[in-house]
Structure formats: structure tokens, C-alpha cells
């Protein structure tokens, strides 16, 4: 959730780009929790959320983080191509 928020904040211009390095480290940590079926393990497990496991919410935040990461990087590339930076 934090990496997602940082990527969105950078893209929106609300926080400094230097936070991207920390978000990238968080993203790598999340990727290390993905199993061979593509499920993020170790999130608050459903249905009680009182133990590590899997949950749709954990999977959703992983996908949102990935989308924010790719949108932020695609946006930066477009700006450089157009000469906005």
C-alpha cells in the first residue's frame, strides 16, 4: 500500500521523486512474496485477517502498486520524449 501511495504521489507531483527509491525497495520485497501461482503470500489472511496468508485485498494492492509503478514510469518516458522535462 505504501509503495502504491508513493508512486501515485510522485506521479501527481505531491512528493519528491527521491521517495521512488524507497518505493522500489518495497516493490521488490512484495515481488519476493509472490508464489508460483502468482499469489502474494504473507498478507493478512482472509477471512478473519488475523494471520498471514492470502486475501483478495492483498492481491488487489499488489496489482494497484504495479499499475502505479508502470504508469509513473511510462509518464516519465512520455515527458522526456515530448521534451517536457
Amino acid at each position: 500500500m505504501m509503495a502504491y501511495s508513493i508512486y501515485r504521489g510522485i506521479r501527481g507531483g505531491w512528493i519528491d521523486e527521491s521517495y521512488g527509491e524507497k518505493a522500489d525497495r518495497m516493490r521488490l520485497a512484495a515481488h519476493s512474496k509472490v508464489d508460483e501461482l502468482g499469489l502474494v503470500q504473507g498478507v493478512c489472511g482472509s477471512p478473519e485477517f488475523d494471520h498471514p496468508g492470502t486475501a483478495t485485498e492483498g492481491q488487489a494492492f499488489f496489482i494497484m502498486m504495479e499499475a502505479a509503478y508502470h504508469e509513473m514510469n511510462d509518464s516519465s518516458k512520455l515527458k522526456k520524449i515530448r521534451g517536457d522535462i
Side-chain angles (χ1 to χ4, degrees):
M1 292 190 302
M2 190 63 136
Y4 161 78
S5 299
I6 291 170
Y7 291 139
R8 286 284 184 236
I10 291 170
R11 185 166 187 243
W14 308 308
I15 61 174
D16 190 84
E17 288 183 12
S18 64
Y19 286 92
E21 181 181 326
K22 301 290 186 196
D24 290 342
R25 290 177 60 198
M26 293 175 208
R27 182 172 172 260
L28 286 174
H31 273 266
S32 74
K33 297 292 189 173
V34 177
D35 68 15
E36 64 278 352
L37 298 175
L39 295 173
V40 182
Q41 296 291 331
V43 299
C44 293
S46 258
E48 300 295 327
F49 302 102
D50 61 351
H51 63 280
T54 63
T56 55
E57 293 84 355
Q59 310 314 307
F61 270 110
F62 182 84
I63 292 168
M64 290 168 55
M65 174 193 66
E66 285 299 287
Y69 171 82
H70 289 286
E71 288 173 9
M72 183 187 74
N73 287 307
D74 289 346
S75 174
S76 296
K77 289 176 188 173
L78 287 175
K79 287 181 182 178
K80 287 178 183 175
I81 291 169
R82 292 190 314 231
D84 294 349
I85 293 181

